Amino acid sequence: DTVKVFKANMIIPQIASDVEESDNIEIPKKCPVCNHETEIIDNNGVQYLSCPNDFCHAKFIKKLDLFTSRNAMNIDGISEQILTRLFKEKMVNDFSDLYHLDKYKDAIINFDGFGVKSYDNMIKSIEKSRKVKLANFIYALGISEIGFSRAKLICKKFNNDIEKVRNLTFEDLNNIDGLGEVIATKWVETFNNPDFIKSFENILKEIEFVDVKNNNSGKFDNLTFVITGSVNNFKNRDELVEYIENLGGKVVKAISNNVNYLINNDVTSTSTKNKKAHELGISIISEDDLLKMSNEE
């Protein structure tokens, strides 16, 4: 069909309407990868076509891709294409297998477009990932409904203690502001799944957790921030988020009455978030203003 598309928030492509409305799409009844019967899931009025097979190969490749991503185990030099090849060659069937790829050096360096240098860089990055923060590791596991922000929230709440985190109860999680019953249920189900536990234990044998340095001054306690635009004083937005959280603050994505500050280095911008902040009377500050607030400029 011909569809109309616009830029939401000035950048994000979003479909506005279906001009033809032919309604002739045939919904696949079988997953094209594992041939399992598909199902349509309704999530708050939005319908999703899904493969319910937890052992679908395509799902595992995506889990590997998440596991190696920057906010997870941060393994460079290992694309989704390489992960797919490693899986097809039966070199990686579990997350922990990534830490034993040296057994297949001769085969891997002969992958198309790879070679010795690419292999060495990949192995070096894999070895570096053995030391990881607990929140990054929890996010890397791909637990349903647990993004990086929620992983950090949970780990911080329980003092980055792996034993506490792995044994959390429904009540423990449901009592955390920002989670709720659905997330608590998903978490408990996951940590009671024998297949997940086996994989979880395998990875723990390969890694060690690094201490999280928290600034306990609490200068941003009870303050909520939204970040928009480019960053100047930090390597990337993730580093800025970590800086705020270490001072007790909270970073969310959307402007609302619960937000105290919008951080935008272009404070005079006419962006959607700036306009919304003005409407709600939310202060718009730059990174320099933020650093002055923390007295660490």
Side-chain angles (χ1 to χ4, degrees):
D1 286 7
T2 298
V3 296
K4 289 185 178 180
V5 180
F6 68 97
K7 287 185 176 181
N9 293 325
M10 305 303 290
I11 191 63
I12 305 167
Q14 185 166 319
I15 295 176
S17 63
D18 178 356
V19 177
E20 297 174 34
E21 295 186 349
S22 63
D23 197 27
N24 62 2
I25 189 171
E26 291 186 20
I27 305 298
K29 292 182 170 58
K30 299 279 188 179
C31 171
V33 176
C34 68
N35 208 38
H36 195 286
E37 290 188 4
T38 60
E39 64 182 18
I40 295 177
I41 299 172
D42 191 295
N43 188 352
N44 294 322
V46 178
Q47 292 184 320
Y48 297 89
L49 180 65
S50 174
C51 170
N53 178 16
D54 288 335
F55 299 97
C56 176
H57 294 169
K59 282 187 174 183
F60 182 64
I61 296 299
K62 286 297 183 182
K63 287 180 179 179
L64 282 173
D65 195 35
L66 171 65
F67 186 83
T68 59
S69 64
R70 187 180 68 181
N71 285 333
M73 301 304 287
N74 193 24
I75 300 175
D76 290 327
I78 189 163
S79 65
E80 185 174 330
Q81 289 79 8
I82 294 298
L83 291 170
T84 302
R85 182 71 184 274
L86 293 171
F87 175 76
K88 286 183 176 179
E89 298 290 340
K90 301 187 186 304
M91 298 176 186
V92 175
N93 296 295
D94 183 76
F95 294 141
S96 60
D97 292 335
L98 289 167
Y99 295 95
H100 300 282
L101 290 177
D102 54 313
K103 296 187 297 184
Y104 306 106
K105 179 178 178 178
D106 292 341
I108 294 173
I109 61 177
N110 287 309
F111 284 178
D112 292 339
F114 216 60
V116 176
K117 186 176 180 180
S118 297
Y119 169 84
D120 288 341
N121 289 337
M122 179 182 72
I123 294 298
K124 187 182 297 182
S125 187
I126 288 173
E127 289 303 310
K128 185 179 178 181
S129 77
R130 288 182 183 273
K131 293 186 177 181
V132 63
K133 294 177 183 177
L134 180 59
N136 297 82
F137 171 66
I138 292 298
Y139 170 61
L141 296 173
I143 302 169
S144 180
E145 306 291 341
I146 303 298
F148 188 37
S149 295
R150 283 174 177 162
K152 289 191 289 185
L153 176 66
I154 292 169
C155 293
K156 184 178 180 180
K157 180 73 174 178
F158 296 97
N159 301 313
N160 291 289
D161 186 323
I162 179 62
E163 291 305 317
K164 289 181 180 177
V165 167
R166 69 182 296 182
N167 291 302
L168 292 175
T169 65
F170 175 88
E171 289 74 20
D172 291 332
L173 291 155
N174 194 38
N175 288 331
I176 298 177
D177 185 32
L179 297 188
E181 293 184 4
V182 173
I183 296 170
T185 300
K186 291 283 187 182
W187 179 285
V188 173
E189 286 177 352
T190 299
F191 276 90
N192 279 288
N193 182 317
D195 294 316
F196 175 84
I197 293 299
K198 181 180 178 180
S199 179
F200 181 82
E201 294 288 356
N202 286 340
I203 311 166
L204 289 183
K205 296 173 185 176
E206 306 295 340
I207 64 174
E208 61 178 288
F209 298 113
V210 297
D211 292 334
V212 177
K213 296 179 180 178
N214 288 319
N215 185 323
N216 295 318
S217 65
K219 290 175 181 175
F220 294 159
D221 278 354
N222 302 315
L223 293 180
T224 301
F225 300 81
V226 169
I227 303 169
T228 190
S230 60
V231 295
N232 298 336
N233 297 296
F234 298 84
K235 286 190 295 186
N236 50 52
R237 190 173 291 188
D238 290 334
E239 188 176 83
L240 174 54
V241 171
E242 185 173 4
Y243 177 81
I244 292 170
E245 291 177 340
N246 283 342
L247 289 169
K250 180 181 178 182
V251 180
V252 297
K253 294 182 179 180
I255 296 287
S256 71
N257 286 316
N258 297 322
V259 173
N260 301 101
Y261 295 98
L262 170 64
I263 301 173
N264 187 347
N265 286 315
D266 184 2
V267 294
T268 61
S269 167
T270 57
S271 68
T272 303
K273 284 184 177 176
N274 274 39
K275 288 179 180 177
K276 187 70 172 178
H278 282 303
E279 290 174 6
L280 297 176
I282 295 168
S283 298
I284 303 173
I285 62 174
S286 66
E287 284 175 56
D288 290 334
D289 296 326
L290 180 78
L291 294 172
K292 288 176 183 177
M293 288 169 58
S294 65
N295 294 320
E296 293 186 22
E297 186 178 21

